[in-house]
Amino acid sequence: DHNRQELWDITAPSNINLNGSTPLATVYSDSTHAAMITNVGNNAEVFVTSDAGADWSEVPNPGINDLLDIFKTNATTAYAVGIAGTYIKSTDGGANWIIKTAPVNEDLIKIYFTSTTDGLMVTRSGAVFITTDGGDGWNPANNSQWLPIYKAGNITDVIVNGSTLYVTTADNSGAGHVYASIDNGTHWGEEFFTALPVPAVLPLDSS
């Protein structure tokens, strides 16, 4: 039964001024600490909360363009990636960010860590890079071009659930595809196809 609306609560609006920007992603490291990325024009904005979203504070932009994804490994360490190789890291819960060197100068749409040291980074064109040192160094995954069967298209979203990966893509005709791998991207199978774009996918449990 995936009808889980009873798990949601109505809360009062958060104390936040987005300054006309568009929220893109929010990530929590625990029940109270979170970071949110928004984009306005060609600039990114980052907001943080320490009271479960009741109040948000905007933090200084280190001089970057649009962001596309954010991930926190714990209450203090966070990473964000974006267009044209944008890659930043925070070690104080998102209050301050430093610009890091990305492995490629192209759009980075996903960053994900399985521990404080091990993570992956995915480009829009399908290349995957892995780190084992907390995001300081990145190396190409064993397969230099991820999912080569659709490399003519673009990745629109990546979901990581343990060793199972789900990827949505849009090919040159605008059709949407969903691919899945149960071995961290070594082998893939097409799970779904539609003539319409698939912007995102969310795996559901069986409860």
Side-chain angles (χ1 to χ4, degrees), residues 63-84:
I64 57 170
N65 295 321
D66 285 358
L67 292 171
L68 299 174
D69 194 34
I70 188 170
F71 190 87
K72 295 188 75 175
T73 57
N74 52 45
T76 59
T77 305
Y79 305 83
V81 293
I83 65 171

Side-chain angles (χ1 to χ4, degrees), residues 178-202:
V178 177
Y179 297 87
S181 169
I182 60 173
D183 53 12
N184 284 310
T186 302
H187 302 92
W188 290 90
E190 185 170 11
E191 299 292 305
F192 182 74
F193 169 79
T194 175
L196 300 174
V198 181
V201 63
L202 177 63

Side-chain angles (χ1 to χ4, degrees), residues 68-163:
L68 299 174
D69 194 34
I70 188 170
F71 190 87
K72 295 188 75 175
T73 57
N74 52 45
T76 59
T77 305
Y79 305 83
V81 293
I83 65 171
T86 299
Y87 172 39
I88 57 176
K89 179 180 180 179
S90 173
T91 57
D92 57 8
N96 296 279
W97 296 80
I98 57 173
I99 297 176
K100 303 283 288 183
T101 302
V104 289
N105 187 30
E106 61 175 284
D107 290 356
L108 308 172
I109 68 164
K110 187 71 176 182
I111 188 164
Y112 181 88
F113 281 78
T114 57
S115 68
T116 57
T117 57
D118 299 334
L120 64 84
M121 181 185 291
V122 183
T123 73
R124 193 182 300 279
S125 64
V128 178
F129 298 87
I130 57 175
T131 182
T132 57
D133 60 6
D136 290 330
W138 295 87
N139 295 304
N142 290 334
N143 45 342
S144 60
Q145 183 69 36
W146 217 26
L147 294 179
I149 57 177
Y150 72 80
K151 61 184 179 181
N154 287 325
I155 294 177
T156 55
D157 194 25
V158 181
I159 296 296
V160 185
N161 184 16
S163 60

Side-chain angles (χ1 to χ4, degrees), residues 37-76:
I37 56 175
T38 71
N39 293 324
V40 55
N42 293 321
N43 295 311
E45 294 181 341
V46 181
F47 298 83
V48 295
T49 180
S50 58
D51 56 10
D55 297 279
W56 294 84
S57 300
E58 184 178 358
V59 300
N61 184 322
I64 57 170
N65 295 321
D66 285 358
L67 292 171
L68 299 174
D69 194 34
I70 188 170
F71 190 87
K72 295 188 75 175
T73 57
N74 52 45
T76 59

